[in-house]
Amino acid sequence: MTTEDTVPTAAPAATRTPDGDATRVPDARRVRRLSLAFMGLAHLTVLGKRGKGAAFAAVEVLFLATLPLTLGRIIDLVTLGTPAPDLPVMFRPNSLFMLIDGVMVLMVFAVFAALYAVSVRSARADLAELRDGTRATTARGRNPLDSLANRGFPIAGLAPTFLLIAFFVVVPLVFAALVAFTNYSSPSNVPPAATIDWVGLTNFKTLFGGDALWTGALVRVFLWTVVWALVATVTCYAGGLLMAVLLQNSRLRITGFFRALFILPYAIPGVVSLLVWRNLLNGSFGTVNRTLQALHIIHGNIGWLSDPWLAKFTVVLINLWCGFPYFMLLATGTMTSISQDVIDAARIDGANAFQVFRRIQVPIILYQTMPLIIMSFAANINNFGAIFFLTGGGPASSDTVTTGAGSTDIMVSWIYKLTINLQQYQNASVLAIMIFLIIAPFAIYNFRRTKSFKEGEL
């Protein structure tokens, strides 16, 4: 027999309110059992928080009342419907609706679980108040809105935003990810004419080694996506930095005019610029080829957008023309914040213009703009417009007929073709998951570097 078995349990302690009334503090284990047994039960019975307890209890009552309906949606999520070819199309089970309804029900369960956890923590906090004797007034003279105005106000204010994010952001993302584990594709599995089925990791196996044609297209497009994002970011940043330095150190009186002129490509909508360049670079009747021929620089047509390697070079070049003004503005703003005394001191010590640029200006500019460079790299991975409106992903490759991937397609433009042209939604979902796994680390890294994250109380 242990010491704990021989020593009787101490009676619950008592505390006094500011009015002098003794209040019996309930046992912690009893409060925990009651709060776990039913939402708000501890508040209603032993903690004296009847308003809060009634609100929590109403949530669970509502959840239990709708449970039979939600369980039916979970069953539909598991089965995704049974084929019924004898019924008219409009009366057949729609697997997509079952999938999205099931995901929404799972989100409802998640929200309910979160509220249940909040109710348990609330009961624990109220018990701590009783033990510490920190109740400001007795229950008779207490304003029921005090709790809401103090600790409950942030929760009440953030709850609508949390629900909107949960059902309008998280649910669509989960739905799109789950499609990767189905056979949702044309021509055999497109609702409502036919149902879709769970296939597990089959689509991942197909793209990652199961089918040589699809795997080859994936490797080719993925490598070009990474190269494209890296080259596009470096060229635009270097071009913007170069132009900012030249204009900053220029002694021309019309520097402002040139700065405004270089901003024009950024000010014009990208779609318009890219479509204009697409016509200018047309291999047969484009203005660029005709001008070069009229100047006797070339004698035949150049396939700016029809040759695979030349098309890639052209895409990078046109993207440089469209994107360098943004980094020029960033670099210009950073350079203006550098103290002129520092530059003058370096020049007195014998540093020339290049040394000032390399040793003083570049380190400061890189330090200030590095998060933006990283985010620009992530944005270029999803730079759909620069590819689609200029080349359309072309020219065609050897596997384009089957996979839909052209020579200049990046991941996001390939996803567009898979969904719109080929209706291979399951493979497009696999690619979307890949993009998320690539982009998410960059977004998280930049978010963690922000001042609000470092100094905020999260």
Side-chain angles (χ1 to χ4, degrees):
M1 180 177 297
T2 63
T3 305
E4 294 179 356
D5 297 330
T6 59
V7 178
T9 304
T15 186
R16 291 184 178 275
T17 66
D19 296 336
D21 299 331
T23 303
R24 191 175 185 83
V25 178
D27 182 65
R29 288 176 296 180
R30 184 184 180 190
V31 171
R32 182 170 62 252
R33 287 195 298 266
L34 290 173
S35 61
L36 291 174
F38 200 90
M39 286 183 65
L41 185 58
H43 298 85
L44 290 170
T45 55
V46 297
L47 295 176
K49 300 292 186 73
R50 293 179 177 80
K52 185 188 297 185
F56 282 130
V59 171
E60 183 161 355
V61 170
L62 179 62
F63 176 79
L64 295 176
T66 59
L67 191 59
L69 179 63
T70 56
L71 289 179
R73 296 293 185 266
I74 295 297
I75 295 175
D76 291 339
L77 175 64
V78 174
T79 62
L80 293 182
T82 303
D86 298 334
L87 295 177
V89 173
M90 63 182 300
F91 295 109
R92 297 177 187 177
N94 194 312
S95 300
L96 284 183
F97 291 166
M98 294 179 179
L99 182 58
I100 189 66
D101 289 346
V103 174
M104 293 185 68
V105 168
L106 291 179
M107 182 56 66
V108 171
F109 284 178
V111 172
F112 174 74
L115 288 176
Y116 215 118
V118 169
S119 70
V120 174
R121 293 186 61 180
S122 176
R124 188 181 306 170
D126 290 339
L127 177 61
E129 276 190 2
L130 287 176
R131 284 179 171 177
D132 296 338
T134 55
R135 275 189 173 175
T137 58
T138 61
R140 181 177 53 223
R142 183 176 185 180
N143 185 353
L145 297 179
D146 286 345
S147 178
L148 179 63
N150 294 319
R151 291 184 306 175
F153 179 74
I155 298 177
L158 293 176
T161 303
F162 172 79
L163 293 176
L164 289 175
I165 293 176
F167 287 96
F168 291 97
V169 177
V170 178
V171 168
L173 289 177
V174 174
F175 168 78
L178 290 179
V179 171
F181 302 92
T182 69
N183 58 356
Y184 181 25
S185 61
S186 178
S188 302
N189 300 98
V190 177
T195 58
I196 61 179
D197 305 298
W198 296 108
V199 296
L201 298 175
T202 301
N203 300 318
F204 292 87
K205 294 178 181 178
T206 299
L207 287 172
F208 293 96
D211 188 304
L213 205 62
W214 282 94
T215 303
L218 174 62
V219 172
R220 174 172 56 82
V221 174
F222 177 75
L223 291 178
W224 164 238
T225 301
V226 175
V227 172
W228 149 258
L230 182 62
V231 174
T233 303
V234 171
T235 53
C236 288
Y237 186 83
L241 181 60
L242 178 62
M243 295 307 304
V245 171
L246 292 177
L247 292 176
Q248 186 77 8
N249 297 328
S250 175
R251 300 181 181 275
L252 296 176
R253 295 183 179 180
I254 56 174
T255 300
F257 168 77
F258 282 107
R259 186 177 286 114
L261 183 65
F262 291 145
I263 294 175
L264 286 179
Y266 182 68
I268 299 174
V271 177
V272 176
S273 299
L274 293 170
L275 291 178
V276 170
W277 275 110
R278 184 173 185 172
N279 291 325
L280 292 175
L281 295 171
N282 186 279
S284 300
F285 53 84
T287 304
V288 174
N289 276 344
R290 290 193 174 188
T291 302
L292 294 177
Q293 290 174 0
L295 296 175
H296 302 288
I297 297 177
I298 62 173
H299 300 286
N301 291 328
I302 298 178
W304 300 102
L305 304 178
S306 58
D307 180 79
W309 290 103
L310 188 56
K312 293 178 180 179
F313 172 78
T314 304
V315 167
V316 173
L317 190 63
I318 301 305
N319 182 75
L320 169 62
W321 183 85
C322 295
F324 86 90
Y326 170 72
F327 287 106
M328 184 187 72
L329 293 176
L330 289 178
T332 301
T334 305
M335 290 171 62
T336 56
S337 64
I338 301 176
S339 176
Q340 187 63 33
D341 295 338
V342 177
I343 298 177
D344 293 340
R347 289 175 177 171
I348 292 173
D349 290 339
N352 55 35
F354 178 75
Q355 290 174 329
V356 170
F357 169 71
R358 180 184 175 186
R359 300 294 183 180
I360 299 178
Q361 293 177 325
V362 169
I364 296 177
I365 294 174
L366 285 175
Y367 176 79
Q368 295 290 338
T369 59
M370 184 56 68
L372 297 175
I373 296 174
I374 297 174
M375 288 306 298
S376 178
F377 175 81
N380 279 320
I381 292 178
N382 279 332
N383 196 345
F384 174 81
I387 301 296
F388 184 80
F389 293 111
L390 188 60
T391 65
S397 184
S398 58
D399 53 27
T400 302
V401 176
T402 302
T403 64
S407 297
T408 59
D409 267 318
I410 58 176
M411 298 287 284
V412 66
S413 63
W414 190 20
I415 290 175
Y416 176 84
K417 289 184 176 180
L418 287 174
T419 55
I420 302 300
N421 299 340
L422 301 181
Q423 292 186 322
Q424 297 291 315
Y425 301 102
Q426 83 286 27
N427 291 330
S429 181
V430 174
L431 298 180
I433 293 175
M434 286 185 60
I435 292 179
F436 173 78
L437 294 177
I438 296 172
I439 298 297
F442 290 100
I444 295 173
Y445 171 77
N446 280 274
F447 174 71
R448 292 178 64 88
R449 285 178 57 88
T450 58
K451 189 174 181 180
S452 59
F453 176 83
K454 293 180 180 179
E455 298 182 359
E457 298 179 0
L458 300 180

